[in-house]
Amino acid sequence: LFSFAGKNIICMVGAGISTSAGIPDFRSPGTGLYDNLQKYDLPYPEAIFDIGYFKEHPEPFFALARELYPGQFKPTICHYFIRLLKDKGLLKRCYTQNIDTLEPHGTFYTSHCISASCRQQYPTSLDERSGVMYSKCEKCNSLVKPDIVFFGESLPARFFSSVQSDFPACDLLIIMGTSLKVQPFASLISKVPSSTPRLLINKEKAACLAWVVAMDFDSEKAYRDVAYLATCDDGCRKLAELLGWKEELEEMVKHEYAKIDSSSATGAASSQQRQPKGKTEAKADTTKPRKNNLAIAE
């Protein structure tokens, strides 16, 4: 796959690249998000991200969003491998289904009023004491939500323009941690040239939908599709080793984790100093990664 000077690599990623950070995926039986939403009394699991349901019942989403708030989880080895591709000038673009903010420039950081006549922008904010996020627009009193795309909403125009320019020029497609069940994301795999190698790193072979040009790993005619069945972190370690980048990737992870830990310790100390004198209120430290939180990534 890397026996050529690929300069236009596209990564397509899903929830599987973040599970090692402690964030459950959506569909794994028993542990996935959709199997653990009973407390919200939803009509169906996906309703928590359905724009119609959100307009009537926003509370379940905001409860989840508090768990997902940026700063609680560290990027994974897979995230840093993608960054390494970028630093080396090899990454054309990363197309992600995730809203966990572990990739740069996550759309969770900004919010908009959902009223079409208002669309007032806000920074996504969380009150450290109450855990309350923005929920109502100060101008029109409509709901405010983070700038993630819900079911029932249109993708931004930039998505479609980027697809048109990126995929015809792609000389290697790397697909990681996704079941390829959500459209239009899943159909992107068919938009690269027929000669472009496609590498899937996933725990199982993705079940592409019938109308998508499926990946061919096993037939006698298979010529460009490769499946590496493992965790995304293990797959990226193996790629880095084959490319001679293993030590560079390990050093990047070590350096970045040290920076995150240092920042977290500083933030925790500063927060402690802000506590009112005479009070002994117990407070959870939300600056450090936590395991088993009901947070999501897709």
Side-chain angles (χ1 to χ4, degrees), residues 34-272:
Y34 286 157
D35 276 357
N36 292 280
L37 292 174
Q38 296 89 346
K39 64 180 179 180
Y40 296 118
D41 195 27
L42 301 169
Y44 53 95
E46 293 86 349
I48 202 164
F49 298 112
D50 184 280
I51 190 61
Y53 187 83
F54 174 81
K55 290 177 179 178
E56 298 295 327
H57 306 282
E59 296 84 4
F61 169 77
F62 283 121
L64 269 181
R66 285 194 293 271
E67 295 293 334
L68 186 63
Y69 194 71
Q72 299 189 81
F73 304 96
K74 289 180 181 177
T76 66
I77 291 170
C78 185
H79 288 100
Y80 287 117
F81 179 80
I82 296 171
R83 175 173 161 181
L84 198 56
L85 288 175
K86 179 180 182 298
D87 290 349
K88 292 180 176 294
L90 301 174
L91 184 68
K92 179 71 172 178
R93 205 177 310 274
C94 178
Y95 286 77
T96 179
Q97 295 172 281
N98 299 339
I99 58 171
D100 53 31
T101 69
L102 295 181
E103 294 130 358
H105 313 300
T107 52
F108 198 94
Y109 287 101
T110 58
S111 297
H112 276 85
C113 171
I114 65 172
S115 171
S117 61
C118 180
R119 298 295 293 166
Q120 175 69 25
Q121 182 173 332
Y122 296 89
T124 302
S125 178
L126 178 73
D127 184 273
E128 291 186 0
R129 289 185 173 278
S130 65
V132 173
M133 302 177 67
Y134 280 126
S135 59
K136 289 294 184 73
C137 178
E138 296 173 356
K139 287 189 173 183
C140 70
N141 206 41
S142 293
L143 286 167
V144 174
K145 76 169 186 65
D147 293 334
I148 62 176
V149 180
F150 276 37
F151 294 119
E153 288 189 302
S154 298
L155 287 160
R158 183 170 177 246
F159 169 81
F160 297 100
S161 61
S162 295
V163 166
Q164 288 182 352
S165 61
D166 291 349
F167 280 79
C170 176
D171 49 25
L172 173 63
L173 180 63
I174 305 177
I175 306 154
M176 296 186 281
T178 175
S179 58
L180 292 176
K181 290 183 178 179
V182 176
Q183 292 290 3
F185 184 86
S187 63
L188 296 181
I189 66 168
S190 65
K191 295 187 179 297
V192 297
S194 59
S195 59
T196 297
R198 301 184 299 189
L199 169 64
L200 174 70
I201 302 175
N202 205 38
K203 285 187 174 181
E204 58 186 11
K205 294 177 182 178
C208 302
L209 300 176
W211 58 86
V212 176
V213 177
M215 302 179 78
D216 182 2
F217 303 112
D218 304 311
S219 81
E220 294 181 355
K221 297 180 180 180
Y223 69 99
R224 61 164 173 162
D225 293 333
V226 175
Y228 188 82
L229 302 185
T231 67
C232 294
D233 285 352
D234 286 346
C236 287
R237 284 193 191 96
K238 185 63 174 179
L239 270 181
E241 182 180 356
L242 291 171
L243 291 163
W245 301 350
K246 181 180 178 181
E247 291 184 2
E248 190 174 356
L249 178 61
E250 290 175 347
E251 184 59 32
M252 174 184 283
V253 173
K254 180 180 177 181
H255 176 72
E256 292 300 321
Y257 277 10
K259 285 173 57 178
I260 292 171
D261 289 341
S262 176
S263 177
S264 296
T266 301
S270 177
S271 176
Q272 191 75 16

